[in-house]
Amino acid sequence: MISPARLAGRGHNHRRPIRLWVLCATIVTVATACPGGAAQAALRVQIINDTGKPDQRIFVMLSGGSSSDGRIANNVPVKLSELATRGFVLDRLPGGRIMFSYDSPVNNAEPPRVPVRYDKVELSYPGVANLTAVDFFGIRFRLQTLDGRGQVRGMLGYSAPTATIVHSLVSIPGVRRALVKTTGGQFARVLSPQLSPNSYPSFRPYVGSMVGRRIVVRGAYFGIPFQTFVYSGRFDNAGSIALRGTITSGSGRPEEGETLSVNGAVLAPAIYTVDGPYLWGGATHHVSDNDVYAVIYRDLIAGFAWGYWGGRYGNDTRSWIGKPPFAAARREHTRYATYNPYAAVIYKYSNAY
């Protein structure tokens, strides 16, 4: 979990064309809507190279589908020199990505420590376009969404040079172990705690600092049915917690929900990866369950990742609304990690998620 998700290109208007600009750090990707059928316009993607490298040394790969004009096939890297000026056209791309790499092609299952510099932009059409650093930081991006008249409707991107971001990341204790270089010894990427959790400071002291404190988790599950919840509990001497409370479905009355328990031994390691086990109903569960209990667990973990628990805003999630996370949420500096430091850097220098 990086930070509260921030998206660009939220949906699209089927009645008029859309332009999507994706500017990659040093690569500029332009997506321009062109006339299509009555249901939706097609999306023309043009990539403009601003890296200082020749187009022949920049590779582009579309993952999740092929372009409708036959210029780029699903999971087949092509040189930018083959796409420059005209780009390619998309009629549909569910859950897709555009991947960029320098000097060598990559695939959509590339090992995170491969010595090739690459990164990705998430693009679903119809849908959304996102910048993501959940797995790693490799290339700076900037993404603009424009309407059919060329007016900017939204923008995502990095606000600092690559060197500044990398310096901030590798200054985190232990993170040089997460630094990946190219075969020539140049920067390739910094792996996130999601892929290299042991390269980042432990959260065990932070969990330990919460012993004896009561917390309140309030939120909503935006599924079917829509549900809201209010749960609370107190951390015991081992850092474990049992959360109890009520769940309300739709406009109905609050009803007592199942007790959700998290063992202190697995809580701290899960703060970086958000994939630890928790118990309810006599069984072990995970966030991939995608239900109201998964949201309760996720919000518990997020409170640690963003530095809210035990911080200046109190231990009720309702009091955090609109309040800045990470260092701004802490009362004082400690020698141990009290928020996800990787996420804090990405949050400071971008609006990627």
Side-chain angles (χ1 to χ4, degrees), residues 5-146:
R6 290 165 288 188
L7 307 180
R10 298 173 184 269
H12 42 80
N13 189 327
H14 290 174
R15 297 178 182 175
R16 63 184 182 183
I18 299 168
R19 291 181 181 174
L20 176 68
W21 289 67
V22 187
L23 292 85
C24 311
T26 33
I27 297 179
V28 181
T29 305
V30 183
T32 308
C34 56
Q40 75 178 46
L43 197 68
R44 183 178 296 280
V45 180
Q46 181 184 356
I47 301 169
I48 301 172
N49 181 5
D50 191 32
T51 66
K53 291 178 175 288
D55 289 354
Q56 292 84 353
R57 293 177 61 185
I58 304 293
F59 290 83
V60 182
M61 192 192 76
L62 189 62
S63 176
S66 301
S67 68
S68 55
D69 59 3
R71 302 203 71 201
I72 181 167
N74 185 38
N75 295 329
V76 179
V78 299
K79 291 181 179 180
L80 180 56
S81 55
E82 301 176 27
L83 299 173
T85 307
R86 286 179 53 202
F88 58 90
V89 176
L90 293 174
D91 287 334
R92 181 172 175 79
L93 187 70
R97 291 176 172 180
I98 304 176
M99 300 185 69
F100 304 94
S101 61
Y102 295 172
D103 302 319
S104 298
V106 296
N107 60 58
N108 64 350
E110 206 67 56
R113 290 191 178 272
V114 66
V116 175
R117 188 174 177 187
Y118 75 93
D119 214 323
K120 56 190 177 292
V121 171
E122 295 181 343
L123 173 62
S124 294
Y125 186 71
V128 299
N130 296 322
L131 303 184
T132 176
V134 168
D135 295 328
F136 54 81
F137 169 74
I139 299 174
R140 292 172 59 241
F141 292 99
R142 189 173 58 192
L143 175 70
Q144 289 182 327
T145 304
L146 289 80

Side-chain angles (χ1 to χ4, degrees), residues 128-206:
V128 299
N130 296 322
L131 303 184
T132 176
V134 168
D135 295 328
F136 54 81
F137 169 74
I139 299 174
R140 292 172 59 241
F141 292 99
R142 189 173 58 192
L143 175 70
Q144 289 182 327
T145 304
L146 289 80
D147 62 22
R149 293 171 292 186
Q151 297 179 336
V152 177
R153 302 297 298 273
M155 183 169 67
L156 299 176
Y158 288 87
S159 60
T162 297
T164 299
I165 299 170
V166 173
H167 175 76
S168 297
L169 289 173
V170 299
S171 296
I172 300 168
V175 171
R176 288 193 176 273
R177 296 192 297 269
L179 176 63
V180 180
K181 295 185 177 182
T182 67
T183 52
Q186 304 300 312
F187 169 75
R189 72 193 59 83
V190 176
L191 302 182
S192 75
Q194 195 83 7
L195 296 183
S196 187
N198 293 331
S199 300
Y200 290 81
S202 171
F203 278 123
R204 294 189 186 280
Y206 185 12

Side-chain angles (χ1 to χ4, degrees), residues 85-350:
T85 307
R86 286 179 53 202
F88 58 90
V89 176
L90 293 174
D91 287 334
R92 181 172 175 79
L93 187 70
R97 291 176 172 180
I98 304 176
M99 300 185 69
F100 304 94
S101 61
Y102 295 172
D103 302 319
S104 298
V106 296
N107 60 58
N108 64 350
E110 206 67 56
R113 290 191 178 272
V114 66
V116 175
R117 188 174 177 187
Y118 75 93
D119 214 323
K120 56 190 177 292
V121 171
E122 295 181 343
L123 173 62
S124 294
Y125 186 71
V128 299
N130 296 322
L131 303 184
T132 176
V134 168
D135 295 328
F136 54 81
F137 169 74
I139 299 174
R140 292 172 59 241
F141 292 99
R142 189 173 58 192
L143 175 70
Q144 289 182 327
T145 304
L146 289 80
D147 62 22
R149 293 171 292 186
Q151 297 179 336
V152 177
R153 302 297 298 273
M155 183 169 67
L156 299 176
Y158 288 87
S159 60
T162 297
T164 299
I165 299 170
V166 173
H167 175 76
S168 297
L169 289 173
V170 299
S171 296
I172 300 168
V175 171
R176 288 193 176 273
R177 296 192 297 269
L179 176 63
V180 180
K181 295 185 177 182
T182 67
T183 52
Q186 304 300 312
F187 169 75
R189 72 193 59 83
V190 176
L191 302 182
S192 75
Q194 195 83 7
L195 296 183
S196 187
N198 293 331
S199 300
Y200 290 81
S202 171
F203 278 123
R204 294 189 186 280
Y206 185 12
V207 173
S209 73
M210 292 299 296
V211 168
R213 301 195 191 191
R214 179 178 178 273
I215 67 171
V216 180
V217 184
R218 308 171 193 265
Y221 168 61
F222 292 88
I224 300 175
F226 172 78
Q227 296 170 295
T228 59
F229 57 83
V230 181
Y231 265 58
S232 64
R234 191 178 302 274
F235 290 94
D236 67 17
N237 290 336
S240 302
I241 191 167
L243 294 168
R244 300 177 177 86
T246 60
I247 297 173
T248 304
S249 295
S251 57
R253 300 180 61 182
E255 297 183 1
E256 184 175 355
E258 296 276 358
T259 297
L260 187 153
S261 301
V262 184
N263 188 294
V266 299
L267 176 55
I271 294 170
Y272 281 129
T273 59
V274 201
D275 66 353
Y278 53 93
L279 302 174
W280 67 266
T284 300
H285 296 270
H286 295 83
V287 290
S288 58
D289 292 351
N290 192 26
D291 57 19
V292 65
Y293 294 101
V295 176
I296 296 170
Y297 172 79
R298 181 204 64 195
D299 287 358
L300 167 68
I301 296 296
F304 283 105
W306 298 338
Y308 286 133
W309 295 130
R312 64 173 68 250
Y313 313 130
N315 293 319
D316 185 327
T317 60
R318 181 170 56 187
S319 66
W320 305 345
I321 298 174
K323 305 293 178 56
F326 307 121
R330 306 306 304 172
R331 286 193 177 93
E332 58 186 15
H333 177 74
T334 62
R335 293 186 177 182
Y336 55 85
T338 51
Y339 52 83
N340 183 332
Y342 173 88
V345 172
I346 300 301
Y347 181 88
K348 179 179 180 180
Y349 293 120
S350 79

